[in-house]
Amino acid sequence: MKRVSSHVSMASEAEINLDLSRLLIDKPRLTLERKRSFDEQSWSELSHRQNDGFDSIMHSPAFPSGFDSPFSMGTHFGDPHPLVNEAWEALRKSVVYFRGQPVGTIAAIDHASEEVLNYDQVFVRDFVPSALAFLMNNETDIVKNFLLKTLHLQSSEKRVDRFKLGAGAMPASFKVDRNQNRNTETLVADFGESAIGRVAPVDSGFWWIILLRAYTKYTGDTSLAESPDCQKCMRLILNLCLSEGFDTFPTLLCTDGCSMIDRRMGIYGYPIEIQALFYMALRCALQMLKPDGEGKDFIEKIGQRLHALTYHMRNYFWLDFPHLNNIYRYKTEEYSHTAVNKFNVIPDSIPDWVFDFMPCRGGYFLGNVSPAMMDFRWFALGNCIAIISSLATPEQSVAIMDLIEERWEELVGEMPLKICYPAIENHEWRIITGCDPKNTRWSYHNGGSWPVLLWLLTAACIKTGRPQMAKRAIELAESRLLKDGWPEYYDGKLGRFIGKQARKFQTWSIAGYLVARMMLEDPSTLMMISMEEDRPVKPAMRRSASWNA
Ligand code: GLC
């Protein structure tokens, strides 16, 4: 297999990250001058801010193509787009209050929809773009309240029938239960015990940690992350993923439906959607855990895991043209340490579509890699998070963006962004989804287009120096989102149709748009969600005695 540069030194990160104040080397966001358009701020100005998540990528010589790209010229945003006010109004309507305090946003307020299901709840993953929008607007209380309320919910009793879930599990969603007679309010969480399919959300805990870092980085308030409750919450979440078992891989073994794609879609095993979030959460936790008592053990374990995970992902999940050609020519049934085809992937299992889809320029992280199984599907969230978190090397980040450019019609089409590509159809759909009537081809999780993914695409574009690409995607969304009533997803190969069973006024479609817009207008906001490439510490250069000779 092709080796992509994978030298990382996690020990170095562990060494420098023990102090939470490192998160804040950059000035707290609230004091930074804002609202300057992207044009007014030069790239060099942005990239010279220390520790803001830009410097490693923007000035890396490995990133030349970001600037040559037809999508990479400066943006020309003037007055706020009329949609922005509409979006804020809709977002505010979705705020959920508990005992008078804002604690989150409801998933959707679609009055026209007959079945509410659990769309009247606050979903942890759905709240992330809302939280980022509120933070950027200096409304930080709702984010803090959300973090604290979900933290307390972590200690609730979690049971599926007679089976008790791990203490670290975080809820998929929660709602406010109002008892009119007694005039009381209580929060009721769902950890998967009521969810369709009874799957626990592996992504919730990771998003919680990522959001805690974003809050800390943006507000400059380290007291929340440093509090014993938050430290414990992080340790409990991490305990679920760092405990020893029968694993031979550093990736995290998952069941189907445990992430944003919360129904059977053939993504059990080691889905990229979870591995990228896992990596990012580990790096965020490393910055926030205190090196005292129990924290110290976790810091050590995280360092080791990150070291192995980075190597594994960058080598075995990476696919580009030369690598695809290597797999195509693989020998099988190899035994021992000298094996090239380590996971015994049978070349005949490579689906036909990949040969057409793979451009000469570009690459991506595979959907899944496990023994004799490679899921060649492209997944949006995993690949964008890989860029944002620097799981991808600078070269890989460029390649992921190149691929999106090359395959714009397939992945973006008329509505950003496909959740995965391609859709599974016919016999494969029957076997893999179990005949799921919602996940039919090019619909919902099966190749549907989700406006919420716009913020992740925008963040990845900014980080790789391609704001024009983000601008183009945002304009596509702007031409339809309000008119169509902020749908949850779109259907069809090009994303032209409002999704078959899509909710309207889906909150994360609204918040995702706002975050994308605000990030493009003030790219320095990216720092709250982006992580720098973890570079090995270079030994100090000393002049040799012969220097002056
Ligand atoms: C759907 C989505 C899931 C989301 C939920 C609430 O179940 O698949 O990702 O969290 O709706 O919007």
Side-chain angles (χ1 to χ4, degrees):
M1 283 203 185
K2 186 181 164 210
R3 295 269 155 85
V4 190
S5 144
S6 66
H7 182 65
V8 280
S9 163
M10 291 305 162
S12 66
E13 185 172 45
E15 276 156 29
I16 42 181
N17 283 345
L18 300 185
D19 182 359
L20 194 62
S21 62
R22 182 183 175 273
L23 266 174
L24 305 165
I25 291 172
D26 197 13
K27 272 184 265 171
R29 299 300 311 149
L30 292 175
T31 62
L32 272 186
E33 186 192 342
R34 294 263 194 73
K35 299 285 173 239
R36 284 196 293 157
S37 79
F38 186 79
D39 277 353
E40 290 169 67
Q41 300 179 66
S42 68
W43 282 113
S44 61
E45 185 190 340
L46 285 168
S47 55
H48 280 112
R49 277 191 201 148
Q50 269 203 322
N51 196 30
D52 63 5
F54 281 91
D55 55 0
S56 59
I57 298 272
M58 303 310 303
H59 279 282
S60 162
F63 266 75
S65 72
F67 293 95
D68 304 335
S69 143
F71 292 102
S72 64
M73 279 87 71
T75 62
H76 293 281
F77 280 134
D79 294 333
H81 193 279
L83 220 67
V84 168
N85 288 339
E86 299 278 350
W88 271 113
E89 205 175 301
L91 182 61
R92 293 201 189 292
K93 281 190 193 149
S94 73
V95 172
V96 171
Y97 290 85
F98 174 64
R99 299 182 188 165
Q101 289 188 322
V103 290
T105 47
I106 193 173
I109 6 179
D110 186 356
H111 298 298
S113 170
E114 289 129 36
E115 22 156 47
V116 175
L117 299 174
N118 48 359
Y119 282 87
D120 60 347
Q121 306 210 4
V122 179
F123 278 75
V124 170
R125 70 174 75 85
D126 293 40
F127 182 66
V128 173
S130 299
L132 298 180
F134 285 124
L135 285 176
M136 288 187 206
N137 209 37
N138 296 341
E139 295 175 57
T140 57
D141 280 359
I142 184 169
V143 182
K144 187 176 181 177
N145 294 340
F146 169 88
L147 287 165
L148 285 170
K149 292 298 168 226
T150 41
L151 173 157
H152 287 127
L153 287 170
Q154 190 191 41
S155 53
S156 334
E157 156 102 324
K158 311 157 203 181
R159 228 177 241 284
V160 176
D161 295 333
R162 295 174 194 186
F163 186 69
K164 215 170 146 197
L165 268 69
M170 292 297 274
S173 61
F174 66 86
K175 64 179 173 191
V176 181
D177 208 10
R178 296 199 167 85
N179 186 321
Q180 308 284 8
N181 298 335
R182 290 203 212 139
N183 199 20
T184 54
E185 287 184 346
T186 32
L187 289 181
V188 182
D190 177 12
F191 294 88
E193 72 273 28
S194 309
I196 297 168
R198 300 288 183 268
V199 184
V202 175
D203 63 341
S204 283
F206 298 152
W207 279 123
W208 188 90
I209 292 175
I210 293 166
L211 189 57
L212 179 64
R213 174 189 176 261
Y215 170 86
T216 310
K217 201 138 166 78
Y218 203 82
T219 60
D221 169 16
T222 55
S223 64
L224 183 66
E226 277 174 348
S227 67
D229 280 353
C230 281
Q231 293 283 315
K232 185 175 170 206
C233 182
M234 274 191 280
R235 288 197 306 266
L236 286 173
I237 295 169
L238 295 167
N239 201 33
L240 289 177
C241 345
L242 297 175
S243 49
E244 288 174 354
F246 287 99
D247 304 300
T248 43
F249 307 133
T251 34
L252 196 64
L253 190 59
C254 300
T255 55
D256 220 342
C258 67
S259 66
M260 173 184 179
I261 299 176
D262 57 2
R263 296 162 80 90
R264 188 172 154 192
M265 266 295 290
I267 52 169
Y268 52 87
Y270 305 93
I272 182 67
E273 304 288 84
I274 289 294
Q275 311 313 320
L277 284 173
F278 179 36
Y279 172 88
M280 185 161 178
L282 287 180
R283 287 200 58 194
C284 290
L286 203 51
Q287 291 187 350
M288 295 185 292
L289 280 171
K290 289 202 207 167
D292 52 7
E294 290 175 80
K296 210 165 158 219
D297 286 352
F298 277 93
I299 288 169
E300 209 179 296
K301 275 192 194 163
I302 293 174
Q304 286 163 1
R305 190 64 172 261
L306 275 172
H307 188 60
L309 182 64
T310 312
Y311 178 85
H312 187 94
M313 296 301 296
R314 289 179 177 180
N315 286 288
Y316 305 131
F317 273 65
W318 184 250
L319 191 74
D320 53 16
F321 189 88
H323 193 189
L324 177 60
N325 210 151
N326 290 345
I327 301 173
Y328 176 65
R329 290 165 51 81
Y330 265 167
K331 292 186 182 61
T332 57
E333 316 298 329
E334 293 173 297
Y335 179 74
S336 100
H337 291 284
T338 53
V340 177
N341 180 4
K342 291 188 185 168
F343 307 116
N344 200 33
V345 175
I346 319 285
D348 271 352
S349 71
I350 306 174
D352 288 344
W353 65 264
V354 188
F355 297 105
D356 298 327
F357 179 71
M358 181 58 79
C360 295
R361 193 176 74 107
Y364 64 102
F365 283 101
L366 288 162
N368 212 318
V369 177
S370 61
M373 199 279 268
M374 271 186 183
D375 182 345
F376 287 87
R377 279 175 294 173
W378 175 92
F379 287 85
L381 185 144
N383 276 283
C384 289
I385 291 284
I387 294 177
I388 297 165
S389 65
S390 290
L391 166 61
T393 63
E395 294 84 350
Q396 288 174 334
S397 297
V398 165
I400 293 170
M401 299 311 289
D402 283 346
L403 182 129
I404 299 176
E405 271 186 28
E406 297 278 332
R407 294 290 171 254
W408 186 261
E409 177 144 309
E410 289 88 342
L411 303 179
V412 179
E414 294 184 22
M415 177 54 66
L417 178 68
K418 285 259 163 32
I419 194 165
C420 66
Y421 180 91
I424 37 184
E425 308 186 42
N426 305 319
H427 181 63
E428 222 186 347
W429 165 79
R430 270 179 218 108
I431 303 295
I432 293 176
T433 74
C435 300
D436 189 335
K438 278 187 101 177
N439 279 336
T440 51
R441 71 195 150 100
W442 306 113
S443 182
Y444 201 35
H445 304 123
N446 187 8
S449 302
W450 290 63
V452 61
L453 298 170
L454 187 60
W455 82 265
L456 287 165
L457 176 66
T458 301
C461 287
I462 295 175
K463 188 155 177 184
T464 51
R466 302 186 193 200
Q468 276 297 331
M469 193 166 162
K471 186 173 180 256
R472 192 174 159 197
I474 291 173
E475 283 171 356
L476 273 174
E478 269 166 353
S479 67
R480 300 199 51 194
L481 281 181
L482 179 65
K483 193 161 53 104
D484 295 343
W486 307 101
E488 180 185 13
Y489 62 94
Y490 286 79
D491 284 358
K493 274 193 179 172
L494 291 174
R496 288 178 65 197
F497 300 90
I498 298 174
K500 205 168 21 182
Q501 294 194 39
R503 305 284 133 160
K504 297 283 185 79
F505 291 93
Q506 181 79 22
T507 303
W508 68 358
S509 299
I510 300 164
Y513 162 69
L514 278 174
V515 173
R517 253 283 172 182
M518 288 192 281
M519 262 186 189
L520 195 56
E521 281 169 16
D522 181 358
S524 71
T525 53
L526 179 69
M527 63 85 195
M528 68 173 153
I529 203 74
S530 149
M531 326 249 353
E532 294 168 81
E533 166 82 346
D534 186 53
R535 283 163 296 190
V537 174
K538 289 197 191 99
M541 293 276 276
R542 292 226 171 80
R543 285 181 181 178
S544 72
S546 61
W547 177 259
N548 295 320

